[in-house]
Amino acid sequence: MNDIIFRTERLKPHVVGFDNQQLANEARGAFHQLLEGTGSGSDFLGWVDWPEKIDTAIVKNISSDVARIAPKIKIFVVIGIGGSYLGARAVIEALQGAFGNNGPRVVYAGHTLGEDYYADLLDLLDANDYAVAVISKSGTTTEPAVAFRIVRQHLERKYGRDEAARRIIAITDASRGALRQIATDEGYSTYVIPDNIGGRFSVLTPVGLVPIAMAGHDIEALLGGARAMRAVCISSDDPATNPAMRYAMVRQAALRQGYPVEMLVNFNPQLVYLGEWWKQLYGESEGKDGRGILPHSATFTTDLHSMGQYIQDGQRLLFETVLSVANPRRRVCIPMDDEKNLDGLNYLKGKSVNDINHCAQEGTVMAHNAGGVPVLEIEVPEIGEHTLGELIYFFEFACGLSAYMTGVNPFDQPGVEAYKSNMFHLLGKPGA
Amino acid sequence: MNDIIFRTERLKPHVVGFDNQQLANEARGAFHQLLEGTGSGSDFLGWVDWPEKIDTAIVKNISSDVARIAPKIKIFVVIGIGGSYLGARAVIEALQGAFGNNGPRVVYAGHTLGEDYYADLLDLLDANDYAVAVISKSGTTTEPAVAFRIVRQHLERKYGRDEAARRIIAITDASRGALRQIATDEGYSTYVIPDNIGGRFSVLTPVGLVPIAMAGHDIEALLGGARAMRAVCISSDDPATNPAMRYAMVRQAALRQGYPVEMLVNFNPQLVYLGEWWKQLYGESEGKDGRGILPHSATFTTDLHSMGQYIQDGQRLLFETVLSVANPRRRVCIPMDDEKNLDGLNYLKGKSVNDINHCAQEGTVMAHNAGGVPVLEIEVPEIGEHTLGELIYFFEFACGLSAYMTGVNPFDQPGVEAYKSNMFHLLGKPGA
């Protein structure tokens, strides 16, 4: 699995047979449904080959927009919700510093209807030079459409309509929809959301690439990681060599053996939003027809001091997938200038924070496993564009497999419409 | 329930009998265990009367430390984990702006062992004047002890040992422990963590009050809200007038009728960390002996576009507690200067973002309820110190009741030790 390590030892003794022939056959069937387009929702399989097939002009155009816009802004507002929001944020938060970014600061809008949030955002935009990406297939999804009206008015008043148009990038349908029309009328730089890639599978399209590049990160390396993982995932329908098949099999075995909740656990706070992206990917793909694993997430050791007690000793509902990172980007060692040693930490002499983190991780996996929690471990060498590209493709491919094994269409989301139609009715939308 | 509204209509038809006599009797028993100290863990009931009994000198001393320190800092580092972290963060994030604070910026440490996080933190501390609160009963909990060594060394090198001592506030045991000893040796300003209040119930003690006050918020109003809610919660063992009893009864009814997961839902992004605090409070209090409701949380409408599909149509595991806020602090209306109306939003004329948010909320509650999700609704008039004090006390009191109804000790956390003892062994700690 390239440089990603996959450990199943700690699933036992709680989940058994995750590598048995029946599950392998199911996974093999799902594999062929995905690659041959014979399963439900097969109009939305564009993401499978995307890392190979992406037009190199897209990356060039993005680089050109970044070179044109980034030097003149402090803030880049990314307007989008769901799949038009979480993928970019997951990658950007993983790669930027804990307290900010060297490039433009990316802030988000259109992902909430919190009024105070928009008041605070307008203050920020009053005080700083900025540009905007607006990401919406139709241009009429309520949250981003509302945000774009607010931000566009502010931008046009601040810079004038012509300069505002040079500061807006629209990522939308190739030809149809309100946002495409506005972009054409106003002359925005535009990128296309492919018809055959749904929102939660779109982070490697311009939906994610534009914000990630504007934040200063290497989108070619991200795509390279996805290509490398694609080669692994599509090359064989043998679970022994296909980690995405193994992950899907483990999940199905856990679900069927009484663990309806999966908690994606990380030990690095910059991965919080990767967990949020993963929750959408799996929850929205599998949670339908009364089925599916309920996704949960946690960041340790932080949440060992909040959710840890429940995981260790509470009702046995969940299995954990621990996403661990071998190496940090930078080193911080424990100072050893305390002769009194009142805090008793001198025994940690020569250890880095990450060394302690790894012992905490190993200790946690052992403890939870002893407490009755099946634990799957996925380890990457470091957090960088290449490994994030690998992880994204790995989770996407395994999600398609796992959803087919669940017996649902991985690529629709009919339940998301229910609140919207009620909301439109309550708002008095014409025709609702 | 003061100015907090509690609606149970949308629990039906999925959860029935949540107001029946048997549950009322159980809740009444738990009520008397709490107030009379006859239940397990009764050494840790100090939080029940704390809002009334708090020594006014504490608030005065905090104000004096804030007046002395705040003007000379840009950053206030709060070192703590679990109950020494989440309560303060929940209140501060609820009250500060979405993109920062007018007073000192509060940043956190000792809640993670992410090495990159500390490298980034040291960069921030190189570039800005700062002070520190270190919060630990013993001073030897690994995460905060490691962070305090790192930050203290940096602080002493930056300002010299004497000035560093004037920039450190220690919140710790009254007389015992490593941190108390260090604070005495160095002459830090100190506050006491009461012996009879556990971490997850400690936000209204100096553990939370010091950071909240340093961020510029009104801790007297916070305590006032808690006092008001205490009066409501302790005055009657009749569920008809005691909302904390009703909440505990609803939770137990839901759990026993097949909903093992509770999702605390908000519609305001500044409440994300209130959800994190709530997850510790309930998860750590109830998740033991193989029992308890698994806490989950979500922020809508953001997560309607990620977890919404699962909640609407996935496996029926969860009930929702929706925490809604009637009024925003500030107004933002939808611009109506778009004659072409390509985005189709002109029907929202005269509506604020919050109006739309409320329709989304009502539409969501209806949709989820129709999809088989029991929904409890708790509404507060606004997000402010007083209502946060009310909510904190309400959730704490109901948690004590609900945990006693679950048949567990609400105030211990034996499972948190398991990973620690493995970790100490792996780290080669003397005696481990």
Side-chain angles (χ1 to χ4, degrees):
Chain A
M1 189 179 177
N2 283 3
D3 43 16
I4 296 186
I5 299 166
F6 197 81
R7 294 192 200 95
T8 55
E9 294 80 2
R10 295 278 182 35
L11 290 163
K12 301 168 185 167
H14 311 296
V15 174
V16 297
F18 50 82
D19 47 3
N20 72 18
Q21 205 48 51
Q22 188 203 316
L23 279 170
N25 287 339
E26 285 184 41
R28 198 170 291 117
F31 175 92
H32 289 284
Q33 282 181 295
L34 262 192
L35 289 190
E36 292 151 26
T38 53
S40 53
S42 60
D43 289 347
F44 293 92
L45 288 170
W47 57 272
V48 173
D49 293 333
W50 176 264
E52 282 293 338
K53 290 193 173 166
I54 180 173
D55 183 347
T56 53
I58 293 174
V59 175
K60 274 189 201 150
N61 289 344
I62 292 174
S63 299
S64 156
D65 270 345
V66 169
R68 177 174 65 83
I69 292 173
K72 61 181 179 182
I73 62 172
K74 291 282 185 197
I75 302 287
F76 190 61
V77 184
V78 176
I79 298 175
I81 194 166
S84 298
Y85 157 63
L86 283 170
R89 186 160 189 175
V91 173
I92 290 168
E93 302 238 339
L95 295 173
Q96 76 182 5
F99 304 97
N101 198 27
N102 289 326
R105 176 182 179 189
V106 174
V107 303
Y108 303 89
H111 66 312
T112 180
L113 291 168
E115 187 156 324
D116 290 326
Y117 186 89
Y118 288 99
D120 294 338
L121 177 64
L122 292 175
D123 286 349
L124 187 75
L125 302 184
D126 281 341
N128 293 280
D129 281 309
Y130 72 102
V132 178
V134 52
I135 309 171
S136 176
K137 186 83 174 155
S138 65
T140 57
T141 301
T142 305
E143 291 90 339
V146 163
F148 187 51
R149 271 219 180 185
I150 293 169
V151 173
R152 182 184 165 196
Q153 184 190 64
H154 186 276
L155 191 74
E156 291 183 348
R157 286 183 179 174
K158 180 163 181 161
Y159 297 104
R161 195 161 164 183
D162 289 349
E163 174 62 12
R166 288 189 286 271
R167 288 171 179 259
I168 296 175
I169 298 173
I171 304 164
T172 187
D173 189 85
S175 58
R176 290 160 300 181
L179 182 55
R180 170 58 60 182
Q181 186 62 50
I182 297 169
T184 303
D185 291 357
E186 302 292 323
Y188 302 156
S189 174
T190 65
Y191 295 87
V192 171
I193 304 176
D195 277 335
N196 58 356
I197 301 181
R200 60 188 174 275
F201 289 85
S202 72
V203 54
L204 300 173
T205 74
V207 168
L209 297 180
V210 170
I212 293 165
M214 195 66 75
H217 309 301
D218 182 348
I219 57 175
E220 299 215 61
L222 186 75
L223 288 164
R227 269 194 299 278
M229 183 54 67
R230 175 179 172 276
V232 173
C233 288
I234 70 164
S235 64
S236 163
D237 67 1
D238 178 1
T241 58
N242 190 327
M245 288 176 72
R246 289 212 299 288
Y247 181 44
M249 289 162 65
V250 163
R251 300 181 78 253
Q252 292 301 316
L255 173 62
R256 296 171 195 183
Q257 290 170 40
Y259 301 95
V261 183
E262 178 178 11
M263 184 173 270
L264 187 73
V265 165
N266 73 72
F267 279 77
N268 297 83
Q270 62 265 55
L271 297 181
V272 168
Y273 270 87
L274 191 72
E276 295 298 308
W277 169 82
W278 171 92
K279 284 196 287 191
Q280 180 188 6
L281 182 65
Y282 281 84
E284 210 168 60
S285 297
E286 295 188 327
K288 49 197 73 160
D289 305 339
R291 302 184 210 186
I293 296 169
L294 174 65
H296 207 315
S297 62
T299 295
F300 292 166
T301 64
T302 306
D303 295 335
L304 288 172
H305 295 252
S306 63
M307 293 295 296
Q309 169 66 37
Y310 191 99
I311 298 165
Q312 188 70 46
D313 280 345
Q315 203 176 159
R316 303 296 74 185
L317 293 167
L318 56 84
F319 68 102
E320 288 180 304
T321 297
V322 173
L323 182 57
S324 74
V325 180
N327 303 304
R329 283 194 285 263
R330 301 164 68 189
R331 296 305 270 177
V332 178
C333 286
I334 317 301
M336 281 299 145
D337 54 354
D338 187 347
E339 288 177 22
K340 290 189 199 165
N341 192 30
L342 286 171
D343 58 13
L345 294 187
N346 279 357
Y347 79 98
L348 296 172
K349 188 172 183 178
K351 293 224 162 44
S352 71
V353 177
N354 191 54
D355 295 333
I356 307 170
N357 205 20
H358 278 177
C359 290
Q361 183 180 320
E362 179 60 17
T364 300
V365 168
M366 290 165 58
H368 289 181
N369 198 237
V373 181
V375 185
L376 174 69
E377 296 168 272
I378 298 174
E379 184 182 309
V380 295
E382 81 280 312
I383 301 172
E385 285 90 340
H386 185 84
T387 47
L388 287 167
E390 290 181 304
L391 281 172
I392 287 166
Y393 196 92
F394 167 75
F395 280 126
E396 288 180 353
F397 199 88
C399 181
L401 296 175
S402 184
Y404 277 141
M405 293 172 78
T406 304
V408 298
N409 178 348
F411 306 114
D412 67 357
Q413 51 283 331
V416 180
E417 299 308 312
Y419 96 88
K420 291 185 193 172
S421 55
N422 289 338
M423 174 179 73
F424 291 143
H425 182 75
L426 292 164
L427 285 169
K429 185 179 181 181
Chain B
M1 189 179 176
N2 284 4
D3 43 16
I4 296 187
I5 299 166
F6 198 79
R7 293 193 202 95
T8 55
E9 294 80 2
R10 295 278 182 33
L11 290 163
K12 301 168 185 166
H14 310 296
V15 173
V16 296
F18 50 82
D19 46 5
N20 71 19
Q21 203 49 52
Q22 188 203 317
L23 279 171
N25 286 339
E26 284 185 42
R28 198 169 292 119
F31 175 92
H32 289 284
Q33 282 182 297
L34 262 193
L35 290 190
E36 291 150 27
T38 53
S40 52
S42 60
D43 289 345
F44 292 93
L45 288 170
W47 58 272
V48 174
D49 292 333
W50 176 264
E52 282 293 339
K53 290 193 173 166
I54 180 174
D55 183 347
T56 52
I58 293 174
V59 174
K60 274 188 202 151
N61 289 344
I62 293 173
S63 299
S64 155
D65 270 345
V66 170
R68 178 175 65 82
I69 292 173
K72 60 182 179 182
I73 62 172
K74 291 281 185 198
I75 301 287
F76 190 60
V77 184
V78 176
I79 298 176
I81 194 166
S84 298
Y85 157 63
L86 283 170
R89 187 161 189 176
V91 173
I92 290 167
E93 302 239 338
L95 295 173
Q96 77 183 4
F99 303 97
N101 197 28
N102 288 325
R105 177 183 179 189
V106 174
V107 303
Y108 303 89
H111 66 313
T112 180
L113 291 168
E115 186 155 324
D116 289 327
Y117 186 89
Y118 289 99
D120 293 338
L121 178 64
L122 291 175
D123 287 348
L124 187 75
L125 302 184
D126 281 341
N128 293 280
D129 281 309
Y130 72 102
V132 179
V134 52
I135 309 171
S136 177
K137 186 83 175 157
S138 66
T140 56
T141 301
T142 305
E143 291 90 339
V146 163
F148 187 51
R149 270 217 182 185
I150 293 168
V151 172
R152 182 183 165 195
Q153 183 190 66
H154 185 276
L155 191 75
E156 292 182 348
R157 287 182 180 173
K158 181 162 179 161
Y159 297 104
R161 194 161 164 181
D162 289 348
E163 175 62 11
R166 288 189 286 271
R167 288 171 179 261
I168 295 175
I169 298 173
I171 304 165
T172 187
D173 189 86
S175 57
R176 291 159 302 182
L179 183 54
R180 170 58 61 182
Q181 187 63 51
I182 297 170
T184 302
D185 291 357
E186 302 292 323
Y188 301 157
S189 174
T190 65
Y191 295 87
V192 172
I193 304 176
D195 276 335
N196 59 356
I197 301 181
R200 61 188 174 275
F201 289 85
S202 73
V203 54
L204 300 173
T205 75
V207 167
L209 296 180
V210 169
I212 293 165
M214 196 66 76
H217 308 301
D218 182 349
I219 57 175
E220 299 215 61
L222 186 75
L223 288 164
R227 269 194 299 278
M229 183 55 69
R230 176 179 172 275
V232 173
C233 288
I234 70 162
S235 64
S236 163
D237 68 0
D238 178 0
T241 58
N242 191 327
M245 288 175 72
R246 288 211 300 288
Y247 181 46
M249 290 162 66
V250 163
R251 301 181 78 251
Q252 292 301 316
L255 173 62
R256 298 171 195 182
Q257 290 170 41
Y259 300 94
V261 182
E262 179 178 10
M263 182 173 272
L264 187 73
V265 165
N266 73 73
F267 279 77
N268 298 83
Q270 62 264 55
L271 296 181
V272 168
Y273 269 86
L274 191 72
E276 295 299 307
W277 169 83
W278 171 91
K279 285 195 287 192
Q280 179 187 6
L281 182 65
Y282 281 84
E284 211 168 59
S285 298
E286 294 188 326
K288 50 197 72 161
D289 305 338
R291 303 184 210 185
I293 295 168
L294 174 64
H296 207 314
S297 62
T299 294
F300 292 165
T301 64
T302 306
D303 295 336
L304 288 173
H305 295 251
S306 63
M307 293 296 295
Q309 170 64 38
Y310 191 98
I311 297 166
Q312 187 70 47
D313 281 344
Q315 204 176 158
R316 303 296 73 185
L317 293 167
L318 56 83
F319 69 102
E320 287 180 304
T321 297
V322 173
L323 182 57
S324 74
V325 180
N327 303 303
R329 283 194 284 264
R330 300 164 68 190
R331 296 305 270 176
V332 178
C333 286
I334 317 302
M336 281 298 144
D337 54 354
D338 188 345
E339 287 176 21
K340 289 189 197 165
N341 193 29
L342 285 171
D343 58 13
L345 294 188
N346 279 359
Y347 79 96
L348 296 172
K349 187 172 184 179
K351 293 225 162 44
S352 71
V353 177
N354 191 54
D355 294 334
I356 306 170
N357 205 19
H358 278 178
C359 289
Q361 182 180 319
E362 179 61 18
T364 300
V365 169
M366 289 165 58
H368 289 181
N369 198 238
V373 181
V375 184
L376 174 69
E377 295 167 273
I378 299 174
E379 183 182 311
V380 295
E382 81 282 311
I383 300 172
E385 285 90 341
H386 185 85
T387 48
L388 287 167
E390 290 181 304
L391 281 173
I392 286 166
Y393 195 92
F394 167 75
F395 280 126
E396 288 181 352
F397 199 88
C399 180
L401 297 176
S402 183
Y404 277 140
M405 292 171 78
T406 304
V408 299
N409 177 348
F411 307 113
D412 67 357
Q413 52 283 330
V416 179
E417 299 308 311
Y419 96 89
K420 292 185 193 172
S421 55
N422 290 338
M423 174 178 74
F424 291 142
H425 182 76
L426 292 164
L427 285 169
K429 184 178 182 180

